[in-house]
Structures are given as C-alpha cells and as structure tokens.
Amino acid sequence: MAEVRDAAATIVGQRSTPSTGIGAPMRRLEGRAKVTGEAKYATEELPPNTLRAVMVAAPIARGRVQSIDAKAALALPGVVAVLTHADMPRLATPPVPPAAQSFTPMQGIDVHYEGQPVGLVLAETLEAAEQGAALVAVKYERDDPVVFERGTPRAPRTEGNGYAYFEVDTTKGDVEAALRQAAVTVDQSYVTPTRHHNMMEPSATLAEWHGDTLHMHDATQWTYGVQMALAAMLNMSPEKIHVRCPYTGGGFGAKGYTNPHQILAALAAKVTGRPVQLNAGRAGCYTGVGYQPVVRSHVRLAADREGRLTAVEHETTNVSSQFDDYVEFGSAGTRSLYATPVLVTRSRIVKANVGTPQAMRAPHEGPGMFALESAMDELAYLLKIDPLELRLRNYAETDPQNGKPFSSKKLREVYAEGAQRFGWSRRTPAPRSMRDGDKLIGWGLATGTMSTFRFASSARIRLAADGHVTIEAGSQEIGTGVYTIMPQLAAEVLGIPAERITLRLGDTRLPQAGPTTGSSTTMSTGSAVIDAAEKLKQRLAALSGAKDAPAPQTWSALLRDRGVGELVADGAFVLPGGQPFDAHGGATGYSMHTWGAIFVEMEVDEALGRARMRRCVAGYSAGRIVNPRTARSQMIGGLIWGYGRAMLEESAMDPRYGRYLSKNLSGVMLPVNADIPQDIDVFFADEHDPHASRMGARGIGELGEVGVAAAVTSALFHATGKRFRKLPVHIGELVA
C-alpha cells in the first residue's frame, strides 16, 4: 500500500490556530444560555390563557372512525374542549413534499397509520388534557393493514418518485455483460431497519392568533418551511404567519418538515380563540413525525483479478406511506464513490400503513453505504486484497457518474493519515486471527461520503453606534453551534472578536434562510453572513471616504461623527441560475461531496454474545473547518449514531397490527456511555473548497454517521468469520 504510506495529509489542529474567526476552536457562545435556562424552547413559552393539547391517537393502522364519545372527558375538571374531524376547518392541499406530509389527520374519518390523531383534548393543564385523552372513547372499523416485517417489505413495489429531489435511476454501461466477464463478483442483499430520531426535545408547537395573524413558537428546523406550508394549507398570505424558533432541542431531520401536530395546533387555536400548546410527546416521536424507513439494498460488484471494479450495481427498496412516495436514495453514495466503467443504480418504494418517512441524520448515504462498503469488504476477502488497498485501487479522481471534477477531495490523504493513526499495517488479514485473552479482536474500515446540499439564503448585519455587531438570519440552531459559528465567520471578515457579535435567528421576520438540514447551514447561511460582512466593510469605507474600511476601534467615532445611529448591510448566498436548492453541485460544473474514512476495532466475547467497540479512528475531507472544537463534537456524535445503527437501534413493528412495539426510550436500545470507548480519534484534512461556499467549507453534521456500521460489521467479520448483512447485529448472532 505504497499510496497510503506516501500520501501526506496536513491535519487541522497541527498548525497554529487563531483565537477568533475561522479556524478558532472557540467554546460555544450560547453555552451559558443553555445551561442556565435562559434559552427558551417551544414548550417553555406559555402565554396567559394557554390551553394544553393532547392528541387522541388511533390504535389501529388501517380503517375508519365510527364514533367518538367525549362525554367522560368533557366532564373532567379542567377540560375545555374535545375536537374531532367534525370541528376542524377544511384545509387546502399542502405544498409538495418535503415541505409537509401530504395527508393531514382530522380532516376525515379514514385511518392510515397507527398513532394517527383522531381527536384533540384541550385543557387548562397538561395533566387534565392527558387524563381527558384517556377517557375519550373511539370506535373503529378495522381493516387488515399493509405491513412489513424486519427487512422484508410485503407490499408491492412502485415506481413512485413524488418525494425525489433528483433522478431516481442512473445507468452507465452494460452491467450484465460486465458481470459475465468478471473474474470475481459479489451479489448480496443488505438491510437496515426502521429507526426513529429520539431527539431530546419532542416536537412541540405553541399557536396563537392575533386577529387574522397566526403566531407560532415552534420546535422546527425550518421556520420558513413551516410558514410556507401553513400558508398554503390555510389559504393565507405568508406574511400573516409569524414563526419563531430561537432554539431547538435536537432534530436530526424530524423537525425539518411540517408535521400534523403543527397544523392541528394552529387549527385548535383558531377554533377555541385561545393560545394552544401541543407537545407530541415521546410516543409522538414515533408516530407523529417521520423516521428512517427500512431499506433493503441489493448490491452486485464485478472486478478483475487485480481488484479493479468493472461494474457496480446498487438497487434499493424502502417503505413509504400510502399517500407519499418518499424515496430513500440508498444508492446516493454509490453514484460518486468508486471509479468504474459500468454504474447502475435504482431506487424503489413499497407502500404500507405507516406515516411518511423523513430525512434522518445521514439519509440516503447512511443506510446505503452500509451495503456498498460491506460488499467492498466481501470483495476484498474474495480477492485476498487488503480492504484499504482495494479502495485505493478504485479511487475516483472524477465523478464516476458524470465525469465532473470534484470541487475538492482529500480522501486519499485521509486514508493515509487514518491508517497510520490506527496502525492498520499491523492487522493480520485472516478472520479469527487476532485475540486478547479469550476475546476475539477484529479490525474493520469503511469509507463515508455525503452529498453537499446548499440552499439559497440571506442574512443581515447591523453595526450599532456603540460598536456592537448583530447578525440576523432566519436560520435555526438545533444544537450544532450556529450561535458560535456565524459570529466566527463575521469576525473573520470584520477583524473583530467573535464575542463582540450577537446572532439573532430562528424567526420569519428575519432575512430568509434555508432549512437546517442536509448539513447545509454553515455553507448556506454562513456564506450570506460573509457577504453581509463584506458589504458592511464597503459601507464603512464609503462612510469614511477611504478606499478601505477603517480600523474597528474607530467605527463608533466614525458613526457618531457622521450622525449615523446604525449601519446595516444585507448579504446573500445565491446559487447558479437563482435556484433555491442545489444537491451535490448539480447546478455547477463540479461534483460536490464530503468524504471520510473510519477505522474500528471491535472485541467479541462469543460465550456471552457480546461485542463492543474498543477504539475508533475517523478522518474527514469536508472543506475548511470553521471551528475544530464544535466540528469534532459533531463527528463524535455521528460516530456514536452510526454505532447505534450497527449494534442497537431498531424500531420493531408487530406485523399483525402495524404497531411499533415500543414508543419510548425504555423499550428502544440506544448507545450510552458504556457502549462507546473513550479512544475516539477524529481528525480533518486541511482543505479549502472554493466552489462549495464563500468560506471554503462543506457540510459535516451528517457525514460522521456514514460508513460506521460497515466498519463495525467488517470488524466483526474479521473477529468472528461471520458476515452480518442485516442490522442491528443481535446477541444471538454473535454467540459461538
């Protein structure tokens, strides 16, 4: 593996770093507000006279409501009203997904999934609303639901692509001919299960009408998306809907759409004439919002004796609801990762009685790369080639789908640095060849990649006469550190400490920004902030009559001397052709992706059927890193998330009734501290991507999850000699 030994990566953090601005490992500026309770979330705002709402959820997955008896609930002290479909105003057609699920409950009697709201209890207290909801008696006419079992969808596949954001299929070359002529082939299926987001803050909304104006404090990842969806469904002007979300307690994709609880809260507030707060609760995180659906991947690889790929085929099938064609593009990463003359990808869906899936941290590439990278590991063993060497022999210098150059790519350097840090050269290749006492030891690796998603965005910067700077943007903070990152970007341009800058965000009365999804906020809103900061400097220069902006310590005096109370500059991040959205550089001449390499050591106790991660090294090529401290935190969170996919997480469903077996954290296994080793080494290549964003960065929030599951299961194969093609890995599968 000479290429690995010779490639040298300059790693972020090896050079001296600034104390502020881009590259500074700053602590979170919003940290104090969060730990002291100053930061307010949607469920913490209760205006006078607010009613608390609790949904009455259908226990069946398919059928119709026959009758609703609310007398017992209405007799309960504190209960003000019980709303049903008969009480709700009729809605217009929602905007095309992914802005909103196309089906809104309580508009009729049909039930399409278990947990669907069929009633809404409104009370003076949350306790009274919860008790009242339990007293509402609903009779149903039940039909047999269309369901799916673990990894085996039972409904017919469809060609639907109503939820697609790019072409469903790609075809380059003759895959059947390549497979016939290949020296070695892999032909396997891989399955990732249904999983739910389980954010700390359940989805919640406060809705309040002031005359014909709707005000909402919402837990969302897209304030403007909520405004757009509600305006369409309520036949209102968007300007009449004001949505606020200064803080969100985690989202991971579930809060990136407009879900039923948001529109139900607005309707309930309209009907009652009082503010209404509706918290979906923990169970609502399973049935009230979207989730990552079960995905089955069928991968076929063809290669010559030297391990060079001659064909790659990846077909995925995912479950969607009866009313939306949500496509989980499991082949998204496959389209751009390895050099091959033949590349075929397909995506299909099956319809079942479930709610519409939604993006979940590392959608598409997350489940899909488990399949592709597992297949690559299988190919390496068939050829008796080191798994890292196999990847280097198939390294793509240009996009294998369309031949575009990559906007920036340092994956080769990341491979080299990661292998050196992990000690990959000391690996013995034979399965079951490495031990520590009576424990089997396995080493595995995988590649990660994510498409680069960019949204047109705008921002405003205000310079007050006292010298303080304020950034305004309608973006959201979902725990990723936006309150720190945006001041850092402005500080870099303005030449002032980031602590001197305040960020106002999460409000539709601020400049419009894209959603906090797809690892896009730093690139999109951040580029608009940089543009605004540069224009502010131009205004300062014009005000001073000089060619360049004066030194920051003179700004206050300059504004006072000119009689200016405040200087304002608007900035924008404009995509090619004025498009609102660009995926993987599709609107440009470059292919834009992020890259990673994950090396994992697993320990297996076959007597107990127990496996655990002992250490992990992960490196990333993701453009310029604005804040190494928050970036490293993001990637560690993603690695833990990926470990959960591999070993623990599964939202199991009872196929008889179409119900999730558990809808709380006591019945769903998630990683905890005891599952995760302290020895997690994360690093970034020193990189600047001039094509993706104004600051040279790409997205990182989801990249950390991708490839982890494949690295873990490849390490388990190395340890035990057993292949694991369905996730999560169960204890019984590890027992000798």
Side-chain angles (χ1 to χ4, degrees):
M1 292 186 293
E3 290 178 280
V4 173
R5 290 192 295 272
D6 295 341
T10 303
I11 306 303
V12 171
Q14 291 182 348
R15 298 177 174 179
S16 59
T17 55
S19 59
T20 190
I22 298 178
M26 290 182 58
R27 295 182 182 273
R28 291 173 179 257
L29 298 178
E30 80 280 12
R32 182 177 180 82
K34 288 182 175 179
V35 300
T36 60
E38 180 185 340
K40 296 301 181 184
Y41 295 83
T43 53
E44 295 181 294
E45 185 169 346
L46 290 172
N49 212 30
T50 296
L51 291 172
R52 309 296 290 273
V54 171
M55 293 181 285
V56 178
I60 67 171
R62 183 184 181 193
R64 286 155 294 284
V65 174
Q66 290 183 321
S67 65
I68 299 178
D69 185 351
K71 290 192 292 293
L74 290 169
L76 192 69
V79 172
V80 173
V82 177
L83 303 182
T84 71
H85 62 276
D87 303 300
M88 290 298 192
R90 299 280 77 85
L91 298 170
T93 302
V96 176
Q101 178 175 284
S102 64
F103 169 73
T104 301
M106 296 182 62
Q107 291 287 291
I109 63 172
D110 291 334
V111 175
H112 295 290
Y113 57 91
E114 188 267 339
Q116 175 184 316
V118 297
L120 205 60
V121 177
L122 303 164
E124 303 290 355
T125 65
L126 179 60
E127 293 77 8
E130 289 177 337
Q131 187 177 358
L135 294 174
V136 175
V138 185
K139 291 184 178 180
Y140 299 92
E141 180 183 355
R142 182 184 181 275
D143 296 330
D144 290 336
V146 179
V147 297
F148 60 91
E149 296 175 350
R150 180 178 183 254
T152 309
R154 284 167 35 188
R157 297 192 306 170
T158 76
E159 304 294 319
N161 68 341
Y163 230 87
Y165 55 86
F166 53 69
E167 181 58 42
V168 174
D169 298 342
T170 61
T171 302
K172 184 181 79 169
D174 187 340
V175 68
E176 298 299 338
L179 288 164
R180 287 194 300 269
Q181 298 166 11
V184 180
T185 63
V186 172
D187 186 340
Q188 293 292 348
S189 292
Y190 307 87
V191 177
T192 58
T194 296
R195 299 189 308 155
H196 286 83
H197 302 76
N198 281 305
M199 69 295 288
M200 290 180 67
E201 175 201 30
S203 293
T205 297
L206 172 76
E208 184 176 12
W209 290 84
H210 296 167
D212 62 350
T213 302
L214 173 61
H215 296 262
M216 299 184 70
H217 188 165
D218 195 28
T220 180
Q221 295 172 232
W222 192 12
T223 55
Y224 274 92
V226 174
Q227 182 192 57
M228 175 181 67
L230 290 177
M233 298 170 76
L234 296 173
N235 278 322
M236 292 176 60
S237 168
E239 291 74 24
K240 291 287 188 178
I241 300 175
H242 175 212
V243 183
R244 292 173 296 120
C245 180
Y247 293 93
T248 300
F252 311 114
K255 298 174 183 174
Y257 305 74
T258 301
N259 291 298
H261 70 276
Q262 291 153 298
I263 184 66
L264 293 179
L267 294 179
K270 187 73 170 179
V271 170
T272 61
R274 293 174 61 175
V276 170
Q277 186 194 83
L278 176 53
N279 187 332
R282 182 56 55 191
C285 293
Y286 288 79
T287 57
V289 298
Y291 52 92
Q292 189 163 74
V294 58
V295 178
R296 172 181 287 275
S297 289
H298 182 204
V299 178
R300 296 198 294 176
L301 304 179
D304 61 21
R305 288 293 177 192
E306 287 69 45
R308 290 179 175 81
L309 291 167
T310 56
V312 175
E313 181 186 58
H314 190 172
E315 179 175 331
T316 63
T317 304
N318 70 265
V319 173
S320 187
S321 65
Q322 294 286 354
F323 37 84
D324 283 322
D325 296 338
Y326 176 85
V327 180
E328 185 86 356
F329 288 97
S331 59
T334 304
R335 300 181 183 203
S336 60
L337 189 50
Y338 294 117
T340 176
V342 178
L343 179 62
V344 175
T345 66
R346 287 184 291 271
S347 297
R348 299 292 182 266
I349 64 173
V350 297
K351 298 279 194 171
N353 284 111
V354 292
T356 301
Q358 294 177 359
M360 182 172 174
R361 190 179 195 176
H364 317 303
E365 288 91 342
M369 291 303 292
F370 164 66
L372 177 64
E373 286 299 277
S374 295
M376 287 293 287
D377 195 69
E378 298 201 40
L379 181 63
Y381 275 93
L382 287 172
L383 290 164
K384 295 182 172 56
I385 296 175
D386 182 90
L388 179 54
E389 177 65 25
L390 179 67
R391 287 161 172 82
L392 290 168
R393 292 184 187 182
N394 293 284
Y395 192 89
E397 299 291 353
T398 59
D399 191 308
Q401 179 187 351
N402 52 38
K404 285 184 179 181
F406 293 114
S407 59
S408 181
K409 182 181 181 182
K410 289 197 173 183
L411 177 59
R412 192 185 298 277
E413 292 86 341
V414 167
Y415 279 141
E417 181 73 18
Q420 180 181 357
R421 291 185 180 213
F422 189 80
W424 185 258
S425 62
R426 301 193 300 273
R427 173 183 178 271
T428 57
R432 305 181 71 88
S433 63
M434 299 177 68
R435 288 181 175 269
D436 183 359
D438 61 350
K439 307 293 193 303
L440 295 168
I441 303 300
W443 288 7
L445 74 87
T447 309
T449 185
M450 279 292 295
S451 293
T452 294
F453 295 161
R454 305 184 300 163
F455 294 88
S457 297
S458 54
R460 180 176 298 121
I461 293 186
R462 299 180 182 273
L463 172 62
D466 62 3
H468 191 80
V469 174
T470 300
I471 302 170
E472 296 177 340
S475 187
Q476 299 73 218
E477 154 63 21
I478 64 171
T480 54
V482 175
Y483 277 107
T484 305
I485 296 298
M486 298 304 159
Q488 283 188 257
L489 295 174
E492 176 82 6
V493 176
L494 298 176
I496 62 176
E499 292 82 358
R500 187 173 155 184
I501 302 172
T502 299
L503 174 64
R504 294 183 60 220
L505 50 61
D507 196 314
T508 52
R509 290 177 176 172
L510 299 175
Q512 184 168 352
T516 304
T517 58
S519 309
S520 64
T521 297
T522 297
M523 286 182 292
S524 304
T525 304
S527 292
V529 168
I530 288 176
D531 187 49
E534 291 175 345
K535 289 175 179 175
L536 182 67
K537 289 184 67 175
Q538 295 170 7
R539 296 207 62 188
L540 283 164
L543 195 64
S544 67
K547 179 181 178 181
D548 298 316
Q553 59 267 29
T554 68
W555 291 352
S556 293
L558 175 63
L559 265 63
R560 287 196 302 269
D561 290 346
R562 299 295 190 271
V564 177
E566 183 182 55
L567 207 58
V568 180
D570 290 319
F573 180 51
V574 180
L575 296 174
Q579 297 186 22
F581 170 66
D582 176 54
H584 51 75
T588 74
Y590 295 91
S591 182
M592 298 182 185
H593 303 267
T594 51
W595 317 93
I598 305 95
F599 299 79
V600 167
E601 178 178 314
M602 295 292 292
E603 168 193 290
V604 179
D605 184 334
E606 286 190 303
L608 297 177
R610 190 189 74 171
R612 70 181 186 92
M613 184 191 295
R614 289 165 57 123
R615 62 192 181 99
C616 174
V617 174
Y620 299 99
S621 165
R624 196 174 183 187
I625 302 302
V626 177
N627 185 323
R629 182 191 297 267
T630 58
R632 182 175 183 274
S633 176
Q634 280 283 289
M635 306 322 282
I636 289 176
L639 290 165
I640 295 170
W641 190 285
Y643 181 84
R645 179 199 294 278
M647 300 300 297
L648 299 167
E649 295 179 44
E650 178 181 16
S651 296
M653 177 173 279
D654 186 328
R656 297 169 299 172
Y657 303 110
R659 300 174 187 163
Y660 292 111
L661 295 177
S662 181
K663 290 180 282 189
N664 56 62
L665 296 181
S666 66
V668 176
M669 298 178 68
L670 300 171
V672 296
N673 287 346
D675 295 308
I676 305 302
Q678 293 184 348
D679 191 0
I680 297 180
D681 181 8
V682 171
F683 67 91
F684 298 92
D686 189 17
E687 186 179 8
H688 185 281
D689 188 336
H691 309 291
S693 63
R694 292 289 295 271
M695 77 293 297
R698 297 193 298 276
I700 64 169
E702 296 165 297
L703 177 62
E705 196 277 347
V706 184
V708 179
V712 167
T713 54
S714 294
L716 291 176
F717 173 78
H718 183 225
T720 67
K722 300 176 183 178
R723 279 289 173 196
F724 302 95
R725 300 187 182 99
K726 284 187 178 182
L727 299 181
V729 177
H730 290 169
I731 291 174
E733 298 170 312
L734 290 165
V735 175

